[in-house]
Amino acid sequence: MNLNKQFQTNNQFRMATRHVFKLLLVLTINLILTWKCSSSATPCPTVCSCFLDTRGRKVVSCNQGGLTTIPFREMESKTEIINVSAPEYNLNTLTMDPTIQDFQYLEELHITRSNVPELGVHLFWNLKKLNVLYLSQNNITQPLDVSFRGLSNLKELYLDDNRIHSLPSGTFRYLSSLKILSLQRNRIHEMMPRMFEELGKLQVLKLSGNYLRELNPESFKDVLQDLRVLECQGCSLNKINSHVYGYLPHLTHLDLGYNELELLLPEDFSNLTNLKYLGLEGNKISVLKDEQFVYANGLRKISLTKNRITSISPTAFNNLKNLTELDLSYNKLEHVDVTILQPISKNLQKLSLSGNHIGVAHLKILLRTVPTLRNLQLAEAGLTDVPVDLFPSKLSVLSLSGNFLTFIIPEAIPATLLELDLSRNRFSGLTESFLQRIEYVIRLNLDKNLWACNLCHIMPMLERVNVSNVLGDLKCKHPYRLEGRFLGELHTSDLGWCNSPEFSGGANYFLTDSNDDKIGVIAATASILLLLLTGIVMLSAFCYTRRHAAKYYTNEEKRTAETEAIFDNQSALFGDEKELSFKFPMDYSQTKITIATIDEELKKEPIINGA
Ligand SMILES: *[C@@H]1O[C@H](CO)[C@@H](O)[C@H](O)[C@H]1NC(C)=O
Ligand SMILES: *[C@@H]1O[C@H](CO)[C@@H](O)[C@H](O)[C@H]1NC(C)=O
Ligand SMILES: *[C@@H]1O[C@H](CO)[C@@H](O)[C@H](O)[C@H]1NC(C)=O
Ligand SMILES: *[C@@H]1O[C@H](CO)[C@@H](O)[C@H](O)[C@H]1NC(C)=O
Ligand SMILES: CC(=O)N[C@H]1CO[C@H](CO)[C@@H](O)[C@@H]1O
């Protein structure tokens, strides 16, 4: 009885505490909610969204477009980032409003795609915390020095894609903390002598896409002491002015791609002792001379892609002990000297020879000089086969995309490979041993080959589709019936047999697949036509040789009489092809060559008849 009572009171006590807990919980939830509501009740313009960025800064972002003014009055005064932009189809047309000066906490201001025509006098006055000013894709024609007054802490200024045509001396003189200045794709035609005045802390200068024709050393003199990065792609430059670089002692990154540079002299790089990256892609360079980069001996990467280079001196890369990346892709290298890579053989890690047609025997000797290479790009290199010991053995990345490969011996693939691109070749299937060899390749691209989805070609691949997305996502090319089907959705029962012993995936393939009516008919017709054609050509070739032979016999006596005269007169011998063609009248191999060109055959007829 007593026990029972105690139990009851105990129970009541428990209930009471539970109630108190519940009450407390509800209270705290309410508190949190009201606090949250009041904080989200701070003003946010209806056309904008307001949020905190990853660093907890207050952002107002107005990206709907169609604005004519920025709704500053509805924004909280402590906003730290304002982002005004617009979609392509609904651009803003803004005029800048000095109300912006009230936002003293502003750290970043982005106003893009807003058709801003000009920046008023003292527009950003008072914005002492502004770090980043992004005004790309507007309609600014000439920024005024006084527009930037008061921005003494600005670090980054972007004025890309405007219509700036001139920058008078001292335009940026109030921006003494500036580190990045980007003026890409404007209409600046001339560099004024003191245009970068007071930019002593500038580290990055981007001038690409302006029609400058030359860099004026006077613009750089005594100012950009700290500049690290200079980009002037597409500036219509036709020479490298070494004096400019003499004024940029700390330059590490120079990008002069897509200009009109034709001739490089070793002296052009004489003042670039700290340079690490040199970009010369898309110029008109045809030769790399002796000791071309000998003064820029700190270089780590050089890009010379998309030039017209046909010849490289064996000493061109002398003194580049630290070079790790060399891009020579899409030039005209064919008979390149096999020792060119020797000066850089110790450190070179990445080499691109894509888009050049260097013969495979040559290539083999060339690559033997860089045994430690890790990354080799040989896309669109005209390769039809790959010998076993072509590639350096420590390679981890290899691209052979866009060649004419139908088959690779498994042993030709380096065992260390992690990335392999065989896309856009002519493989119709891969063998079991090849698939085993590339089992450890992490990134594999086999797209756009001529996969022949039949029992002879893709069985080893099909057996792996359920464990490899790469294989499952490949599309059949042949037979017609299965064209475009993913390997991953095929079953063995879908595949036809093929009775041809040859699995090359060539034209003979069409004839072997009986399942494919349509293509079968086309192929059969084509092959009959081909046979007929060959017959005709053979016949005409036969007649031709006969006629030749006849000619020879009938002319024999006359010719022996003529011989002396011909040797007296050298030009008669070499000047007249008709006479020379008599030399090997019965040579079968010669006539065989002429079979291929029926047109030529027909052209020759009247000459022979007339002779
Ligand atoms: C500003 O808005 C544009 C357009 O939505 C966006 O691409 C950009 O990343 C934004 N920038 C910042 C800093 O939020
Ligand atoms: C940019 O400004 C010029 C005048 O400076 C004007 O003619 C042109 O229409 C403006 N561009 C756009 C897209 O409004
Ligand atoms: C080459 O690299 C090493 C190590 O990074 C460095 O100490 C050396 O100064 C570099 N050489 C040149 C010429 O810049
Ligand atoms: C892959 O798996 C699916 C179902 O998970 C199965 O139907 C198909 O037969 C498998 N394909 C192969 C080639 O094993
Ligand atoms: C400032 C500077 O060092 N300029 C030098 C750049 O290189 C040339 C040689 O090509 C020298 O003559 C300059 O003195």
Side-chain angles (χ1 to χ4, degrees):
M1 188 70 186
N2 213 354
L3 251 172
N4 212 357
K5 204 170 178 187
Q6 181 138 24
F7 182 74
Q8 264 185 0
T9 46
N10 235 349
N11 226 0
Q12 274 169 351
F13 176 72
R14 261 197 222 154
M15 296 278 267
T17 43
R18 215 176 275 173
H19 273 295
V20 170
F21 264 116
K22 266 189 194 164
L23 207 76
L24 273 174
L25 202 72
V26 169
L27 263 173
T28 36
I29 287 173
N30 263 343
L31 257 172
I32 289 168
L33 274 180
T34 44
W35 175 75
K36 245 208 129 167
C37 286
S38 67
S39 78
S40 73
T42 55
C44 184
T46 46
V47 292
C48 309
S49 56
C50 305
F51 51 91
L52 301 180
D53 76 353
T54 47
R55 287 162 55 189
R57 297 180 299 178
K58 292 180 180 144
V59 184
V60 179
S61 183
C62 319
N63 292 324
Q64 292 178 5
L67 296 178
T68 52
T69 56
I70 302 176
F72 286 127
R73 281 176 219 293
E74 295 168 57
M75 290 181 195
E76 203 210 332
S77 63
K78 288 188 176 172
T79 301
E80 286 153 300
I81 299 178
I82 296 178
N83 187 353
V84 180
S85 188
E88 200 86 56
Y89 56 87
N90 192 20
L91 299 179
N92 299 322
T93 41
L94 294 180
T95 44
M96 291 306 292
D97 177 348
T99 322
I100 194 160
Q101 292 168 9
D102 299 342
F103 293 83
Q104 294 193 15
Y105 292 84
L106 207 60
E107 289 181 13
E108 292 189 14
L109 177 60
H110 301 243
I111 300 177
T112 65
R113 295 189 176 179
S114 296
N115 226 336
V116 174
E118 58 185 0
L119 307 170
V121 172
H122 297 174
L123 179 64
F124 304 109
W125 186 249
N126 230 3
L127 298 181
K128 290 201 178 58
K129 290 198 169 171
L130 199 66
N131 252 308
V132 177
L133 180 55
Y134 205 95
L135 296 167
S136 301
Q137 292 180 280
N138 283 296
N139 199 6
I140 299 165
T141 49
Q142 191 175 1
L144 304 171
D145 55 350
V146 284
S147 305
F148 301 120
R149 198 152 180 197
L151 291 177
S152 54
N153 283 313
L154 196 71
K155 303 275 189 307
E156 302 177 23
L157 174 59
Y158 301 89
L159 288 164
D160 305 326
D161 300 291
N162 278 284
R163 294 171 169 235
I164 299 169
H165 50 77
S166 74
L167 289 170
S169 301
T171 300
F172 306 108
R173 68 191 156 121
Y174 295 110
L175 303 176
S176 54
S177 301
L178 203 65
K179 293 209 153 112
I180 301 177
L181 175 59
S182 190
L183 291 161
Q184 300 178 99
R185 296 172 301 275
N186 275 284
R187 298 173 177 192
I188 307 166
H189 282 199
E190 198 184 352
M191 297 188 79
M192 294 305 193
R194 299 160 70 82
M195 65 192 278
F196 301 122
E197 202 179 18
E198 299 295 334
L199 292 181
K201 291 188 179 154
L202 200 69
Q203 298 196 344
V204 178
L205 177 58
K206 301 188 179 196
L207 295 169
S208 297
N210 288 288
Y211 183 67
L212 293 173
R213 282 164 299 169
E214 66 175 328
L215 298 176
N216 183 357
E218 293 302 310
S219 308
F220 296 92
K221 191 176 177 182
D222 301 333
V223 186
L224 303 174
Q225 293 290 337
D226 215 21
L227 200 71
R228 311 291 158 107
V229 177
L230 176 59
E231 294 179 8
C232 207
Q233 281 204 359
C235 289
S236 297
L237 306 176
N238 54 30
K239 64 168 190 271
I240 287 179
N241 191 334
S242 69
H243 291 294
V244 171
Y245 311 117
Y247 298 130
L248 307 173
H250 294 293
L251 203 65
T252 58
H253 181 115
L254 176 61
D255 192 341
L256 299 176
Y258 302 97
N259 282 295
E260 312 284 323
L261 303 172
E262 286 179 32
L263 196 68
L264 299 180
L265 301 172
E267 291 73 33
D268 288 343
F269 305 101
S270 58
N271 302 118
L272 287 165
T273 45
N274 281 310
L275 202 66
K276 298 203 165 44
Y277 172 81
L278 177 60
L280 292 170
E281 61 267 35
N283 279 285
K284 298 175 176 172
I285 301 159
S286 57
V287 180
L288 296 182
K289 292 180 186 287
D290 294 342
E291 310 219 302
Q292 185 75 75
F293 304 104
V294 72
Y295 299 113
N297 60 345
L299 274 172
R300 295 183 180 192
K301 289 189 196 179
I302 303 179
S303 173
L304 286 159
T305 180
K306 295 176 188 153
N307 276 279
R308 302 168 179 178
I309 302 170
T310 51
S311 109
I312 298 177
S313 153
T315 64
F317 302 119
N318 268 14
N319 213 19
L320 297 182
K321 297 253 161 21
N322 281 359
L323 197 74
T324 54
E325 277 190 48
L326 178 60
D327 188 350
L328 290 168
S329 58
Y330 301 96
N331 278 288
K332 299 184 172 171
L333 297 172
E334 281 176 27
H335 308 290
V336 65
D337 188 297
V338 291
T339 62
I340 54 167
L341 299 177
Q342 252 160 24
I344 49 175
S345 66
K346 282 227 175 65
N347 275 311
L348 196 67
Q349 306 216 332
K350 179 172 178 183
L351 173 66
S352 180
L353 293 171
S354 298
N356 293 290
H357 289 199
I358 303 173
V360 82
H362 227 64
L363 196 61
K364 198 159 129 182
I365 307 170
L366 182 69
L367 291 177
R368 233 173 245 167
T369 62
V370 280
T372 56
L373 204 65
R374 299 297 163 117
N375 184 326
L376 177 61
Q377 303 290 312
L378 275 173
E380 296 173 43
L383 296 174
T384 52
D385 73 310
V386 172
V388 175
D389 48 356
L390 179 63
F391 303 122
S393 59
K394 292 184 178 150
L395 222 50
S396 59
V397 179
L398 174 63
S399 172
L400 294 170
S401 175
N403 284 291
F404 305 100
L405 302 170
T406 54
F407 177 75
I408 297 183
I409 307 167
E411 292 71 41
I413 301 294
T416 47
L417 217 57
L418 299 175
E419 213 178 305
L420 175 63
D421 189 347
L422 291 176
S423 61
R424 299 186 294 127
N425 275 283
R426 300 193 169 169
F427 292 98
S428 42
L430 297 176
T431 60
E432 176 62 29
S433 52
F434 188 83
L435 287 166
Q436 275 174 17
R437 183 74 176 188
I438 61 171
E439 207 153 24
Y440 299 104
V441 172
I442 294 164
R443 293 178 59 189
L444 179 64
N445 190 346
L446 297 170
D447 290 344
K448 302 205 170 102
N449 276 284
L450 307 176
W451 302 118
C453 294
N454 60 36
L455 290 168
C456 333
H457 289 99
I458 61 152
M459 277 317 288
M461 297 164 76
L462 203 61
E463 278 157 15
R464 286 176 168 80
V465 288
N466 281 352
V467 291
S468 157
N469 287 337
V470 172
L471 293 175
D473 290 345
L474 297 178
K475 282 182 180 168
C476 298
K477 178 69 181 166
H478 307 309
Y480 183 76
R481 177 173 59 90
L482 295 177
E483 188 177 340
R485 289 275 295 275
F486 289 105
L487 252 58
E489 59 183 40
L490 288 185
H491 295 274
T492 318
S493 55
D494 295 328
L495 304 185
W497 189 242
C498 45
N499 44 26
S500 164
E502 205 152 336
F503 302 154
S504 63
N508 65 336
Y509 169 74
F510 291 109
L511 296 171
T512 58
D513 196 312
S514 53
N515 284 336
D516 211 335
D517 300 340
K518 200 167 169 187
I519 205 74
V521 170
I522 295 171
T525 325
S527 57
I528 289 168
L529 279 175
L530 208 74
L531 268 172
L532 271 171
L533 212 69
T534 322
I536 292 169
V537 172
M538 293 279 274
L539 209 70
S540 60
F542 179 68
C543 296
Y544 170 59
T545 31
R546 280 285 296 264
R547 215 176 288 148
H548 253 243
K551 204 91 202 164
Y552 179 80
Y553 293 130
T554 50
N555 277 358
E556 195 170 26
E557 284 154 36
K558 205 163 130 202
R559 277 193 59 76
T560 36
E562 266 175 9
T563 318
E564 278 174 42
I566 288 170
F567 282 110
D568 282 343
N569 184 357
Q570 289 283 319
S571 70
L573 183 63
F574 296 109
D576 196 345
E577 278 183 51
K578 257 187 292 172
E579 299 292 347
L580 278 175
S581 73
F582 280 105
K583 275 172 102 179
F584 307 106
M586 291 295 281
D587 191 336
Y588 181 59
S589 67
Q590 280 251 325
T591 41
K592 210 173 167 189
I593 291 163
T594 55
I595 287 172
T597 53
I598 302 169
D599 275 348
E600 269 180 29
E601 204 66 19
L602 294 173
K603 260 189 249 156
K604 273 182 190 164
E605 292 274 343
I607 297 171
I608 292 157
N609 286 340

